[in-house]
Amino acid sequence: MEWSLMNPIGLLETEMGFMANGIYFVSDECKETLQEMLSLLLTSDGDDGEIRQKLGQQDIIRKDLLPLLMALEEDSELFEAAIELLSLLTQPLSLGQNSHLEQFAEQTRARAVLTLLKQADDVCWSVEFFAKIKKEVMNRLEMASDGVLNPLDCETINYCLLLIRNLFYFGETDRKDHINNFKLRMIFESGLDKMIMAIIRHPQKMTFTVSIVQILSFLYKDNVRILLRPAAQQTMFSQPIPSVDSEEEQCLQAMANMGLNQIDMGGPLSPTADLEDPTVQRRYITAIMDTMELNKPKVDEVGVHHSSHHYQGLQVSVHCNVDPSLEDVVGQHLTDLAQQFLADGYAGFIGDLLKLTLSSNSRILDNSYLLWSISFFLRFARQQALPVNSLVKCLDGNLVSYLVYIAVDCCEKQWSLQRQKQWCDLTQNKLHLTVLSLMQLFRLTLSAIEDPECQHLITSSIKESLMGMTHLREVFLLLLRQHRCPNQGIVYLRNLICANHHLLLILEKWGADKTIAGNFSMLEHVKKFATVEIMAKYGQALESFEQNENDLNECILTMMHHIAGDCNEPHCLMQLSIMRTFSNMLEQKHLLSSDFSDLIEYVLEQFMIFAEEKPLVTAQMLFGIQEKETVKPKCNWSSVEEEVLMSSILSLTESDNIIADLKYALSHTGFERTEQEIEEFIKDSGWLQEDTSMETVAYSGKENTLEEDVKMKIIDELSQVPEEDLIHHLVLRLKSNGHQQHLTWLQENLFEAANAKNCVMGNSTDTIREPVTRICSFMKKDIPLIFVTEDHEKICHNVYFFALLNTLDLKVGSSNEQFVFPRVPYDWTTSDLIQKMKTLGPVPNEIGEVDRVEELAVKLSMETTKESEFPEYKGKESSSVKDVKLPDKEWMSCVQEANKYQECQQYQVTMETN
């Protein structure tokens, strides 16, 4: 049989069957016709969609495909071919488009696709059709031998799910409002919700996870307002929940509107064993591989939404003209499905979603689906006061690690985009969704801790894993420091503060057990938040204390209580905005506990005392001109040290670097002093004039503000050092300038990377302690050195430290690159990392076990790897080292310019924020 004569495009005629007296009769040549149509559609459609044009002109979906699908009863092969063809014909317009297409071809294809989509939207939205889909899928699930589906049935089910997804998506792009409630009602009246739950509970559910999560997102994302209404009076958490429910509801709605509508979407996944099969690849070429183009950012579709409460950074649509009774019916259906999903299948679904997100198929599944599935459904479970015993099973070290990794990755991307003055709303959207996901997991954990029946579900291994994650604790420090209100909004800041508060509650409860806590100190961790910069963020969130939920105010004031009390840093709170808020809270007799009332009174009292003693310094602190006055302790110098300095100064009057020479003279006689201490002492003693030129680094920490002549001296200094001694020289210079702790920090990161490399070779990435290191090692990416504190940022702008990173061959970004944090290359072996770590000096005691890690690397390399995969380390020539020694000093000049540019950009962002 020839479906097309001579010219498959010009004489397109279908021979699938015919309709008579309301009954569709299937032709004997139907199977061959369908197969030839599929072949032409996948191979000969052309850029302008010629095949689609002809099929659309013939109204094939209405006349043949839909009647054929409804008429088939037991012919599974015909049903599989017909449903595949229909799913391919209903692919969204963005699929299959190429940027190089000419405008005419693109417009022609667009018309052809839209014609088919409108035909499908007109005829496929019916209870009968969806009931037919449900019947076919359920039959295949029930008839599977020993519960194992054959590859053909897997493909058929996936095409059914893909078709439903396509119908949802077209309704999404074609409407001006949310998905029609009548269409949602059809989904439930046809029983598709039961089909979805059957698939989620099936042993092979992972095969369908990509399609299922897309359908769930379309079902729920526009109904956040309905489902998260404050209906349940009781909470599932005995621990007070710091939250702003109405804002969180609006935030989740905005995440859906601005996020899931704009992220990459994937098609169905075939069984893993068939992924490399050319036949399977052909059948899935359009259904899967091109789905990465679906839902690309459409700025014009985001538009301007209206809401009764507008918050900076969020745009929440308000749905109008909705029948309340119909809305209640749909809301009840969605509630019932969500409750079933959460009670049976949610934890496994999240686990499968995480595995797929981290797998080689991640290119077809954006991680926003995982983030939304956590943040929305756990929020819904809390709203409905559902039991947590089945939910807490989703709590996993890998899941938390991945969320921390996404938070760091988004923060870095946003940092880089802001520095380049580029649009970063989508990155911020995903970052906010990540914070919400972490907050919901923390709430779930607190609930399980307080529930005697669920405590055993949080195993000691999970506790030890989370307690050992330094990145988990410090990511909130990083995000709070990098918060920029005009771009990120006050709602994000509030959620960030609440999430951090939840984590601190967990750490406090688990930290009481020293076998789990290890060396973790809650006080030392909280001290990291005792800065004027971070307290300003908390003060900003507290300014609207009258509108805030009491629990949110409790989060803010609890942190301030620890800063002023346990950390003994009340000066951090002596800022104009905070003082004004405290005063207003007392004047308005705002409901406060006795502890918080005492806090406010204590800070105000200390402020008055300090203002009376030092009015100028107090004024500077209030207006951010200067942080709190710091009195540097005087170093006690012995008479012997003074004699050595006096005699040395007399003999070093012609020295080009008198401070370094004096340090050497002291160390030669058994005394160890930093260059900063020596400089301050000789200046205070009057032995040198203030304008004496000394080749030292600016100790204020802003090394890249050196004068040009000092920069050139540093360049000359490094250019004259032999290549083999350059690392040793840089290490000595950093130590003499008081940067030993930063060298230790670098050693710790290299050691963590070395240990991670062993875990990868031993197929035990779950044992890697730090989240970002774990995920980067698993995904075979370079490992970033994260700037958690301001001190970390400043040291990486230090000329000597920057040169050290380059000399060690770490990847260091410039002002126009997409990454900010220096990176440890993934292709370094454990031996590379250990060797570089040792070149930085003696290994600190807290690191330890270096020899054991190195021995294990050798053993694993011999047992599980080939020599070509992990070659023996050979010191490669560093272009950076060689360029340092060039007379024209081009490399160091570029370094200085890059540092200067970065500092200017950061200063500009700070000024804009202030």
Side-chain angles (χ1 to χ4, degrees), residues 370-634:
L370 174 65
L371 302 177
W372 179 82
S373 299
I374 296 171
S375 58
F376 171 74
F377 282 108
L378 290 185
R379 172 67 179 83
F380 174 81
R382 174 173 165 269
Q383 175 74 21
Q384 297 291 316
L386 299 180
V388 300
N389 53 348
S390 61
L391 301 176
V392 76
K393 296 177 183 178
C394 72
L395 184 63
D396 176 70
N398 286 331
L399 178 60
V400 175
S401 295
Y402 186 68
L403 294 179
V404 174
Y405 165 79
I406 293 299
V408 172
D409 183 60
C410 289
C411 180
E412 183 185 30
K413 286 180 180 177
Q414 188 174 52
W415 194 346
S416 175
L417 291 171
Q418 288 176 344
R419 191 170 61 185
Q420 300 176 56
K421 300 184 183 301
Q422 294 184 17
W423 186 56
C424 57
D425 284 4
L426 289 180
T427 303
Q428 170 57 28
N429 183 31
K430 185 172 292 187
L431 177 59
H432 197 168
L433 203 55
T434 305
V435 171
L436 285 174
S437 300
L438 285 168
M439 182 168 63
Q440 295 301 339
L441 283 177
F442 296 156
R443 287 174 173 174
L444 181 64
T445 304
L446 285 171
S447 174
I449 292 174
E450 296 295 330
D451 188 347
E453 297 182 359
C454 297
Q455 291 178 353
H456 69 282
L457 297 176
I458 304 180
T459 63
S460 57
S461 61
I462 294 178
K463 295 179 182 178
E464 292 173 1
S465 175
L466 299 186
M467 287 294 295
M469 293 180 180
T470 305
H471 290 168
L472 173 60
R473 302 191 294 267
E474 294 186 341
V475 70
F476 292 99
L477 190 67
L478 171 67
L479 297 180
L480 283 168
R481 287 189 56 253
Q482 295 302 321
H483 176 263
R484 300 289 182 266
C485 189
N487 299 322
Q488 297 180 295
I490 189 65
V491 177
Y492 166 73
L493 177 60
R494 291 167 180 167
N495 288 326
L496 192 56
I497 291 173
C498 287
N500 184 50
H501 181 79
H502 282 299
L503 177 61
L504 292 177
L505 288 176
I506 295 172
L507 296 177
E508 184 179 28
K509 292 178 180 297
W510 290 348
D513 187 348
K514 296 301 180 183
T515 60
I516 296 176
N519 297 326
F520 170 71
S521 169
M522 175 65 80
L523 179 59
E524 292 301 319
H525 176 61
V526 173
K527 282 182 178 179
K528 296 178 181 179
F529 294 86
T531 67
V532 173
E533 179 187 19
I534 292 181
M535 285 301 100
K537 312 293 185 183
Y538 276 77
Q540 182 182 353
L542 189 62
E543 288 179 0
S544 56
F545 65 91
E546 292 179 294
Q547 289 76 39
N548 291 349
E549 293 289 330
N550 289 333
D551 292 331
L552 173 61
N553 290 335
E554 183 178 343
C555 289
I556 301 170
L557 292 173
T558 299
M559 176 62 79
M560 291 181 171
H561 186 278
H562 289 301
I563 297 301
D566 298 333
C567 300
N568 194 26
E569 294 286 352
H571 296 85
C572 294
L573 302 178
M574 295 180 186
Q575 305 177 43
L576 183 60
S577 61
I578 297 178
M579 292 292 100
R580 182 188 296 116
T581 303
F582 280 178
S583 178
N584 291 338
M585 294 178 77
L586 290 180
E587 289 178 2
Q588 299 179 25
K589 297 181 180 180
H590 189 73
L591 294 177
L592 294 170
S593 66
S594 58
D595 289 341
F596 296 145
S597 297
D598 293 343
L599 163 68
I600 294 176
E601 292 174 359
Y602 170 74
V603 173
L604 292 176
E605 179 183 354
Q606 291 296 310
F607 173 76
M608 297 303 296
I609 295 174
F610 194 75
E612 184 177 351
E613 294 177 351
K614 301 176 182 178
L616 179 59
V617 175
T618 305
Q620 291 174 332
M621 289 167 49
L622 278 177
F623 293 98
I625 300 174
Q626 176 182 321
E627 296 186 10
K628 69 169 188 177
E629 184 183 62
T630 56
V631 179
K632 296 181 180 179
K634 293 285 184 180

Side-chain angles (χ1 to χ4, degrees), residues 15 59 271 383 885:
E15 298 181 8
D59 200 6
Q383 175 74 21
K885 300 181 65 177

Side-chain angles (χ1 to χ4, degrees), residues 651-895:
S651 62
L652 295 173
T653 55
E654 302 298 328
S655 173
D656 292 332
N657 191 353
I658 191 170
I659 300 298
D661 291 339
L662 288 175
K663 182 180 184 301
Y664 176 78
L666 281 172
S667 63
H668 198 64
T669 55
F671 299 102
E672 293 296 333
R673 294 284 184 177
T674 66
E675 292 189 2
Q676 182 180 2
E677 292 174 336
I678 297 172
E679 181 184 5
E680 291 175 352
F681 180 77
I682 60 178
K683 283 184 177 181
D684 292 341
S685 302
W687 293 351
L688 286 180
Q689 299 298 320
E690 290 291 336
D691 59 352
T692 301
S693 176
M694 294 176 290
E695 184 180 279
T696 58
V697 176
Y699 292 107
S700 63
K702 298 181 179 179
E703 290 82 358
N704 52 350
T705 62
L706 292 171
E707 298 295 336
E708 280 301 319
D709 57 340
V710 179
K711 294 180 183 179
M712 296 308 298
K713 286 184 179 181
I714 294 177
I715 295 174
D716 288 336
E717 172 193 344
L718 297 180
S719 300
Q720 295 170 10
V721 177
E723 181 177 338
E724 60 274 11
D725 298 332
L726 185 57
I727 293 180
H728 180 68
H729 176 81
L730 291 169
V731 169
L732 289 178
R733 293 295 290 164
L734 289 167
K735 287 182 177 179
S736 66
N737 293 336
H739 295 304
Q740 175 61 57
Q741 72 273 24
H742 298 115
L743 292 172
T744 302
W745 171 70
L746 181 56
Q747 286 181 309
E748 290 172 349
N749 279 274
L750 291 174
F751 178 75
E752 180 68 25
N755 186 57
K757 183 63 68 173
N758 282 350
C759 293
V760 171
M761 288 193 294
N763 295 320
S764 57
T765 54
D766 291 351
T767 60
I768 300 175
R769 185 186 65 174
E770 297 300 346
V772 177
T773 307
R774 178 189 298 193
I775 300 301
C776 287
S777 300
F778 182 83
M779 300 177 70
K780 299 182 179 180
K781 292 185 175 182
D782 300 333
I783 301 173
L785 308 180
I786 306 170
F787 302 157
V788 175
T789 66
E790 184 180 3
D791 196 36
H792 288 155
E793 289 182 40
K794 290 178 179 178
I795 189 57
C796 286
H797 290 297
N798 182 300
V799 178
Y800 292 115
F801 196 82
F802 191 92
L804 178 63
L805 296 178
N806 277 277
T807 307
L808 290 171
D809 290 325
L810 272 75
K811 297 181 179 180
V812 182
S814 62
S815 58
N816 60 348
E817 289 183 296
Q818 293 300 314
F819 67 91
V820 177
F821 304 136
R823 278 165 162 71
V824 178
Y826 172 78
D827 57 1
W828 282 5
T829 65
T830 304
S831 299
D832 296 343
L833 294 161
I834 296 296
Q835 178 178 339
K836 291 177 183 295
M837 184 178 69
K838 290 181 177 180
T839 61
L840 300 178
V843 179
N845 295 330
E846 55 267 24
I847 296 180
E849 299 186 342
V850 174
D851 294 336
R852 181 191 62 80
V853 171
E854 197 167 13
E855 292 173 2
L856 179 60
V858 175
K859 180 180 179 181
L860 289 172
S861 180
M862 295 175 59
E863 292 179 354
T864 63
T865 65
K866 298 179 181 180
E867 185 176 357
S868 59
E869 294 175 332
F870 293 92
E872 183 180 354
Y873 172 71
K874 295 181 180 180
K876 53 184 178 181
E877 291 185 352
S878 171
S879 58
S880 58
V881 175
K882 297 176 71 174
D883 290 342
V884 168
K885 300 181 65 177
L886 291 176
D888 56 12
K889 311 171 188 66
E890 291 180 353
W891 177 78
M892 284 302 294
S893 297
C894 292
V895 170

